[in-house]
Amino acid sequence: KAGVTQTPRYLIKTRGQQVTLSCSPISGHRSVSWYQQTPGQGLQFLFEYFSETQRNKGNFPGRFSGRQFSNSRSEMNVSTLELGDSALYLCASSSPDRNTGELFFGEGSRLTVL
Amino acid sequence: DAKTTQPPSMDCAEGRAANLPCNHSTISGNEYVYWYRQIHSQGPQYIIHGLKNNETNEMASLIITEDRKSSTLILPHATLRDTAVYYCIVRVATGNTGKLIFGQGTTLQVKP
């Protein structure tokens, strides 16, 4: 069974640009969550999507947005990039059937903003 | 979600048991204790979780005190590959919410 797949793994952008990151969850998982990890702030929850609806949101500015498609794949977008957006962005999926609360994380997309 | 307190770092000799403590004195009755770990530059990996009984799986054991205010993750025979940051998290399990509140975790260094 394939794990959570995130693309791209690495990318470099400049300030003011926007970026879109993609996440393919484990087959059958309908919940997809996004996290940002930086050395200073650690792992922080961005938002969660379930059946194409956002059902949880962290404390991030509106420049951070996301969406989920009917096949449960998800994308997150960051507009007007700032230097502080440089981070590892992690995606996690979970299964509604098992109801254990266990999340499965991908390897992340490492974004560098210059 | 309740807050957890973990020591920032610990060392363990290879082959010995690693005992990682976690305090969660404000845990609610319906909140579970979860442990994840993150090996350098990888995504966090689920290890184990429990409500009030001790739990064991192929990776680790989880010991929760009777008052549920603290717990200990035990890696019975630590290897160099267990070097990672270990996160203790408390949250409700139902609803499959994908929101986890990570603290700073404990950096476990397994030494030869």
Side-chain angles (χ1 to χ4, degrees), chain B:
Chain B
D1 293 327
K3 195 172 177 181
T4 63
T5 304
Q6 299 177 252
S9 63
M10 293 182 65
D11 289 342
C12 177
E14 188 178 20
R16 305 296 295 268
N19 297 283
L20 293 93
C22 179
N23 286 320
H24 32 79
S25 59
T26 60
I27 192 170
S28 300
N30 63 344
E31 287 181 317
Y32 287 66
V33 180
Y34 286 80
W35 282 85
Y36 281 76
R37 74 180 183 183
Q38 186 175 25
I39 296 170
H40 183 62
S41 295
Q42 297 182 20
Q45 174 191 26
Y46 165 84
I47 301 172
I48 198 167
H49 76 283
L51 183 63
K52 54 184 178 181
N53 297 321
N54 298 337
E55 302 287 345
T56 295
N57 62 20
E58 65 279 2
M59 288 182 68
S61 294
L62 173 60
I63 308 298
I64 303 173
T65 57
E66 193 168 340
D67 63 7
R68 302 208 324 123
K69 293 185 177 182
S70 65
S71 60
T72 301
L73 177 75
I74 301 172
L75 307 179
H77 305 287
T79 70
L80 298 179
R81 287 180 295 181
D82 292 322
T83 293
V85 180
Y86 287 77
Y87 297 98
C88 169
I89 299 164
V90 294
R91 52 157 280 181
V92 295
T94 56
N96 278 294
T97 174
K99 181 178 180 180
L100 294 176
I101 306 298
F102 287 86
Q104 296 304 308
T106 295
T107 299
L108 174 68
Q109 182 72 45
V110 180
K111 299 185 175 181

Side-chain angles (χ1 to χ4, degrees), chain A residues 35 37 48 55-56 100 103, chain B residues 34 36 38 95-98 100:
Chain A
Y35 291 79
Q37 186 170 29
E48 178 194 7
R55 69 175 181 180
N56 261 311
T100 63
L103 300 188
Chain B
Y34 286 80
Y36 281 76
Q38 186 175 25
N96 278 294
T97 174
L100 294 176

